[in-house]
């Protein structure tokens, strides 16, 4: 039975298809990985994963791969140079020690990236197992022919019935069917796909569970949704984002500056008579310690891990640029139905008219809703149970019941009963339709019925009138107040976004009065009522003209222009192919609220990159105070005052700094992959927090770490 469409129903209300679909549970705040398909191995330092990633890390030592990261390429060159010098002087233990730790520094950096890529490959393997080379039943001239799925081309029509695997991505152009998408989304509940609506898109590799549909293929072989997911999560299609490229340029510039500084130390050392303290091995070690190797080693892993966190939450980002843009979003456009609100109107109150009790109204409303399987009908039954204890109907009351289904013409539904020879008719529906029914049956209209209904409408609710005809004649009993219920916790979430400096705008097809009531209850900053596709586009362009980045969600073909215009366009997987092509992200769970989570993941990516960059540069400052005084203290005794760590010898100081430089990369890999914990706060407060934690921590950690390593080295006979 379909939902009651009243005179006040908004254009964006959930359709009967939505309510009949056995889809997911209601909104889940901050969902994690979905089902076994999304669980990828053990922890961040799972021995099996490290062992699997080690060959990839060694393979990345090729110069053509290393040169993509200028900082680590310099470390590779230094490793090769010190190796040659150590071979030339095999008795020099110091040269071999420096050489070994420089190679470990290079391998650790590659291992961080390899582990991040390995997590993506593990996810890709589960997707690859889900990919099936199906045989397609292609329609040609009104007849069917069986062809391999790989031979399908854009525009081909294929028939799929119960038990068939859908051979390629496309849109349903005929029929309606229940489809199992668990291979893609991790959800066991089937979904409904039908022609002619915003739920027509199907994905290759999913399975038809019932009925028959005709699908129009929209992608070429090898370019399906699953193929793109595999390429993206494996990192094969990952390109550096603008911010990542800019940071690489900065790191390369710092590397060149430190390279020039280290080169000039040699003539100074010769002039000062400290030439033996500035061998090529020492200078190589000094250069590696001074350039920002920490962030240079982890930069790629941070970007890959950001994409990985989205995939774990069933969001497919078409590029790293989209993830990065999500972190800079300043305006969030949210559809009301299903995002801000539950999407299904719920019964909130029984308002009786004069001379009628609320219990009598609740009894009639529940009776007329017993066969109504829509969310609105079920909520009326539940509210009557909760408020008036109406739970069971005796067998005689419903024995001869004739249920009156809702139709678009009558705009009413109800039940006709016969009990002890007395006929009783109960109706509920739109205000005008029920009032006309009462007049038609010779009943008197209650003076306050229409006024109550109008008051509910002006407050943003939806009124359903309930009337009865029995031995007392036809009359209106009262009004059921239906509300589009705001999701629990949304006001708090919007408050968090406000603290982050993000403006929230609710988009709805409701009239302005209804939109304002919902907006005030939910706590959004602004709203756009009676929205058309053109209105959405105009709003996005207006925000962008003010220098703001805009994010929005959508699922219909009419949302495609706005999704393409937005800086972050999140298309629902249940939506049309046009919407998914226009957006730069696809939410496999089709949960519009996920947009808030995507923004948080994007911000976490930017914060992680900034925090580790701050830590890395602060590290370099501390290592400078460890190495330089030790190198020149012999020639310039006054520099010994700068040896604040009181390191045991120049060789021990340099070796300790190199060892610390390698180990700190390993220590920071979990943070790079997991991300710095994100807390909603203003930008200036966040900057102060990161400088206090990672700036100060980056200065203090090397002093403690290098001193501890120096103490351990000094205990080795013949070295200390």
């Amino acid at each position: 039975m379909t939902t009651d469409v009243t005179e006040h129903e908004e254009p964006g209300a959930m359709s009967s298809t939505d309510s009949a679909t056995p889809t997911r549970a209601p909104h889940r705040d901050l969902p994690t990985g979905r089902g076994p398909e999304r669980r990828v191995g053990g922890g961040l330092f799972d021995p099996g994963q490290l062992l699997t990633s080690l060959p990839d890390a060694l393979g990345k030592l090729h110069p053509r791969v290393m040169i993509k990261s200028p900082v680590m390429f310099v470390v590779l060159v230094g490793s090769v140079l010190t190796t040659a010098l150590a071979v030339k002087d095999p008795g020099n233990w110091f040269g071999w020690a420096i050489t070994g730790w420089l190679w470990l520094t290079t391998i650790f950096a590659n291992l961080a990236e390899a582990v991040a890529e390995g997590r993506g490959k593990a996810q890709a393997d589960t997707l690859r197992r889900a990919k099936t080379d199906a045989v397609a039943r292609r329609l040609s001239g009104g007849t069917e022919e069986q062809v391999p799925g790989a031979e399908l081309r854009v525009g081909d029509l294929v028939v799929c019935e119960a038990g068939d695997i859908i051979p390629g991505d496309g849109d349903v152009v005929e029929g309606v069917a229940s489809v199992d998408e668990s291979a893609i989304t991790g959800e066991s509940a089937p979904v409904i796909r039908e022609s002619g609506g915003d739920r027509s898109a199907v994905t290759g590799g999913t399975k038809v569970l019932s009925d028959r549909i005709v699908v129009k293929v929209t992608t070429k072989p090898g370019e399906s949704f699953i193929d793109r997911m595999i390429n993206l999560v494996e990192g094969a299609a990952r390109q550096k984002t603008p911010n990542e490229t800019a940071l690489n340029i900065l790191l390369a510039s710092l590397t060149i500056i430190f390279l020039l500084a280290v080169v000039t130390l040699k003539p100074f050392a010769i002039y000062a008579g400290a030439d033996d303290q500035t061998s090529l091995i020492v200078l190589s070690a000094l250069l590696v310690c001074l350039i920002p190797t920490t962030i240079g080693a982890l930069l790629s892993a941070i970007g890959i891990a950001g994409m990985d966190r989205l995939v774990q939450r069933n969001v497919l980002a078409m590029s790293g640029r989209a993830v990065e843009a999500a972190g800079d979003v300043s305006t969030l456009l949210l559809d009301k139905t299903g995002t801000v609100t539950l999407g299904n109107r719920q019964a909130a109150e029984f308002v009786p008219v004069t001379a009628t009790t609320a219990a009598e109204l609740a009894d009639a409303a529940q009776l007329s809703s017993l066969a109504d399987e829509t969310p609105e009908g079920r909520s009326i039954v539940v509210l009557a149970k909760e408020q008036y204890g109406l739970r069971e109907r005796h067998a005689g009351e419903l024995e001869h019941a004739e249920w009156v289904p809702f139709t678009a013409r009558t705009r009413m539904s109800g039940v006709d009963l016969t009990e002890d020879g007395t006929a009783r008719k109960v109706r509920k529906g739109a205000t005008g339709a029920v009032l006309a029914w009462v007049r038609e049956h010779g009943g008197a209209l209650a003076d306050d019925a229409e006024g109550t209904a109008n008051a509910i409408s002006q407050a943003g609710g939806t009124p359903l009138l309930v009337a009865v005809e029995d031995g007392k004649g036809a009359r209106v009993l009262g009004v059921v107040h239906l509300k589009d219920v705001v999701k629990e916790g949304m006001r708090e979430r919007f408050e968090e976004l406000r603290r982050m400096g993000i403006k929230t705008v609710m988009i709805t097809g409701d009239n302005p009065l209804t939109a304002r009531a919902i907006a005030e209850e939910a706590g959004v900053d602004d709203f756009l009522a009676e929205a058309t596709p053109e209105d959405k586009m105009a709003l996005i362009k207006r925000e962008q003209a003010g220098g703001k980045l805009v994010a929005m969600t959508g699922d219909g073909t009419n949302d495609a222009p706005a999704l393409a215009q937005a800086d972050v366009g999140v298309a629902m997987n249940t939506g049309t192919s046009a919407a998914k092509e226009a957006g730069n992200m696809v939410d496999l769970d089709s949960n519009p609220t996920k947009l808030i989570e995507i923004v948080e993941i994007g911000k976490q990516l930017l914060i992680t990159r900034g925090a580790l960059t701050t830590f890395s540069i602060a590290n370099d400052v501390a290592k400078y105070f460890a190495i330089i005084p030790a190198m020149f203290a012999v020639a310039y005794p006054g520099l010994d005052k700068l040896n604040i760590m009181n390191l045991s010898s120049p060789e021990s100081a340099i070796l300790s700094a190199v060892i610390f430089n390698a180990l700190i990369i390993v220590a920071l890999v979990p943070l790079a992959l997991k991300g710095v914990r994100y807390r909603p706060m203003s930008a200036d407060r966040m900057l102060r927090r990161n400088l206090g934690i990672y700036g100060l921590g980056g200065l203090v950690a090397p002093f403690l770490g290098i001193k501890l390593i120096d103490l351990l080295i000094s205990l080795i006979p013949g070295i200390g």
Side-chain angles (χ1 to χ4, degrees):
M1 183 174 290
T2 56
T3 183
D4 290 336
V5 180
T6 73
E7 293 175 319
H8 307 283
E9 181 164 6
E10 69 271 16
M14 182 169 282
S15 67
S16 58
T17 302
D18 296 327
S19 61
T21 303
T23 52
R24 303 158 176 83
H27 163 64
R28 301 175 301 270
D29 285 337
L30 296 177
T32 55
R34 308 294 308 270
E37 292 82 5
R38 298 290 182 259
R39 296 192 182 109
V40 194
L44 295 175
F45 279 123
D46 177 39
Q49 192 170 22
L50 286 175
L51 192 61
T52 304
S53 302
L54 186 57
D56 291 335
L58 295 176
K60 291 178 181 293
L61 292 175
H62 195 287
R64 280 185 296 185
V65 177
M66 295 294 296
I67 202 168
K68 295 178 182 178
S69 173
V71 175
M72 298 315 301
F73 181 73
V74 170
V75 179
L76 176 66
V77 172
S79 303
V80 173
L81 178 61
T82 55
T83 301
L85 295 173
V87 171
K88 187 177 179 181
D89 185 11
N92 183 2
W93 69 267
F94 178 73
W96 283 110
I98 293 293
T99 298
W101 281 103
L102 289 185
W103 278 112
L104 285 176
T105 302
T106 310
I107 293 172
F108 288 161
N110 289 344
L111 191 61
E113 183 176 356
V115 168
E117 290 178 350
R119 290 157 65 88
K121 288 178 180 178
Q123 291 173 337
D125 288 341
T126 64
L127 292 171
R128 194 173 281 110
R129 286 194 295 270
K131 185 178 177 182
T132 305
D133 293 328
V135 175
R137 297 162 56 187
R138 184 169 60 187
L139 286 177
S140 179
T143 61
E144 293 184 15
E145 58 175 342
Q146 291 195 348
V147 298
E151 293 185 9
L152 292 176
R153 294 295 179 265
V154 176
D156 285 349
L157 297 177
V158 295
V159 177
C160 297
E161 294 182 326
D164 290 346
I165 300 295
I166 297 175
D169 295 358
D171 290 321
V172 178
V173 295
E174 180 184 320
V176 57
S178 176
V179 179
D180 177 11
E181 294 186 342
S182 59
I184 306 296
T185 65
E187 288 283 359
S188 58
V191 295
I192 300 298
R193 294 290 174 262
E194 59 185 342
S195 62
D198 290 343
R199 296 178 177 270
S200 60
V202 291
T203 306
T206 57
K207 186 178 182 180
V208 178
L209 298 180
S210 68
D211 303 293
R212 176 185 184 274
I213 53 175
V214 177
V215 177
K216 184 177 181 180
V217 177
T218 58
T219 59
K220 299 176 182 178
E223 298 179 6
S224 69
F225 195 68
I226 291 184
D227 290 319
R228 283 189 292 165
M229 286 183 69
I230 291 171
N231 289 334
L232 285 164
V233 299
E234 280 186 326
R238 197 186 89 87
Q239 297 179 343
K240 290 184 178 179
T241 63
N243 283 352
E244 197 173 346
T245 301
L247 184 54
N248 262 318
I249 294 173
L250 173 63
L251 298 181
S253 302
L254 290 175
T255 301
I256 293 173
I257 292 171
F258 281 118
L259 179 61
L260 294 175
V262 170
V263 168
T264 59
L265 285 178
K266 188 66 175 178
F268 278 115
I270 294 174
Y271 176 78
D275 187 35
D276 57 336
Q277 300 296 323
T278 57
S279 65
L280 287 178
I281 290 179
V282 171
L283 292 177
S284 297
L286 174 63
L287 177 61
V288 169
C289 288
L290 293 186
I291 62 178
T293 51
T294 306
I295 184 61
L298 300 174
L299 185 58
S300 181
I302 293 171
I304 296 172
M307 300 276 286
D308 177 68
R309 281 192 290 276
L310 277 178
V311 173
Q312 288 178 11
R313 287 162 175 81
N314 271 9
V315 177
L316 174 64
M318 301 305 178
S319 68
R321 183 189 297 265
V323 185
E324 204 168 75
D328 287 328
V329 160
S330 50
T331 302
L332 214 55
L333 306 186
L334 300 163
D335 188 47
K336 176 186 75 79
T337 306
T339 305
V340 179
T341 65
L342 292 175
N344 300 322
R345 295 165 299 178
Q346 305 286 307
E349 184 183 9
F350 296 112
V351 185
V353 298
T354 305
T356 302
T357 65
E360 185 180 358
L361 170 61
D363 179 77
Q366 186 192 59
L367 190 60
S368 66
S369 303
L370 290 176
D372 187 350
E373 292 301 323
T374 65
E376 294 91 340
R378 290 194 296 268
S379 71
I380 291 173
V381 174
V382 171
L383 184 64
K385 287 180 180 179
E386 291 177 347
Q387 291 192 353
Y388 301 99
L390 301 175
R391 295 186 176 275
E392 295 183 2
R393 299 282 174 171
H394 58 81
E397 188 176 6
L398 301 177
E399 184 177 0
H400 302 291
E402 294 183 11
W403 303 103
V404 179
F406 171 85
T407 67
R409 184 181 62 83
T410 63
R411 290 183 297 153
M412 292 187 302
S413 61
V415 62
D416 293 343
L417 303 169
T418 302
E419 185 177 1
D420 299 330
T422 303
R424 184 187 182 200
K425 298 180 179 180
V426 183
R427 296 290 185 271
K428 79 171 192 298
T431 303
V434 173
L435 291 177
W437 183 83
V438 172
R439 290 193 195 97
E440 181 183 337
H441 287 77
L445 302 180
D447 295 335
D448 54 344
E450 196 166 0
T452 301
N454 290 336
I456 290 173
S457 296
Q458 291 175 3
T462 301
L464 286 182
L465 256 64
V466 179
V468 63
E469 183 192 15
D470 53 17
K472 300 178 183 179
R475 64 193 185 279
V476 176
L477 297 180
V479 185
V480 179
H481 182 186
L482 298 180
K483 287 181 62 177
D484 198 354
V485 180
V486 174
K487 289 181 178 179
E488 185 178 353
M490 291 306 295
R491 176 174 283 276
E492 290 74 15
R493 296 294 296 275
F494 290 140
E495 182 60 36
E496 287 182 6
L497 292 171
R498 199 171 292 112
R499 289 199 299 270
M500 293 155 50
I502 296 176
K503 175 185 176 183
T504 52
V505 181
M506 183 186 77
I507 299 176
T508 177
D510 290 348
N511 61 66
L513 286 174
T514 301
R516 182 179 299 278
I518 296 294
E520 290 177 353
E521 184 179 354
V524 295
D525 297 315
D526 201 356
F527 65 90
L528 179 65
E530 298 176 342
T532 65
E534 292 77 15
D535 293 335
K536 296 177 186 179
M537 281 282 290
L539 175 59
I540 292 173
K541 289 180 178 179
R542 198 160 55 243
E543 292 290 322
Q544 290 173 332
K548 298 177 180 178
L549 295 186
V550 181
M552 74 161 288
T553 60
D555 60 359
T557 300
N558 62 346
D559 291 325
L563 287 171
Q565 180 67 35
D567 299 284
V568 179
V570 184
M572 301 296 100
N573 190 42
T574 55
T576 61
S577 296
K580 290 196 282 189
E581 288 295 328
N584 49 26
M585 291 188 187
V586 176
D587 177 19
L588 303 180
D589 292 334
S590 299
N591 177 7
T593 314
K594 194 81 70 69
L595 181 58
I596 299 174
E597 194 176 341
I598 290 170
V599 170
E600 293 177 348
I601 292 173
K603 285 191 174 295
Q604 185 184 36
L605 171 66
L606 296 178
I607 292 169
T608 302
R609 187 183 296 156
L612 292 184
T613 300
T614 303
F615 186 90
S616 179
I617 294 175
N619 253 277
D620 297 336
V621 175
K623 285 180 284 189
Y624 173 88
F625 281 97
I627 296 180
I628 296 298
M631 287 175 58
F632 290 96
V634 176
Y636 298 102
L639 287 177
D640 196 50
K641 294 179 181 178
L642 296 178
N643 187 14
I644 56 179
M645 287 186 279
N646 194 27
L647 301 177
S648 56
S649 67
E651 291 82 2
S652 177
I654 295 168
L655 182 57
S656 298
V658 171
I659 294 174
F660 177 83
N661 191 63
L663 295 181
I664 197 64
I665 294 174
V666 180
L668 291 176
V669 168
L671 186 61
L673 297 183
K674 188 177 181 181
V676 174
R677 184 181 178 185
Y678 171 71
R679 294 190 180 116
M681 62 182 70
S682 61
D684 57 340
R685 186 182 170 194
M686 191 177 299
L687 178 61
R688 290 195 301 270
R689 177 176 176 269
N690 282 348
L691 287 176
I693 296 176
Y694 298 98
L696 185 60
L699 284 173
V700 173
F703 284 101
L704 298 177
I706 291 174
K707 180 60 179 177
L708 178 61
I709 295 172
D710 176 72
L711 291 174
L712 295 175
I713 290 176
S714 64
L715 298 176
I716 301 175
I719 296 180

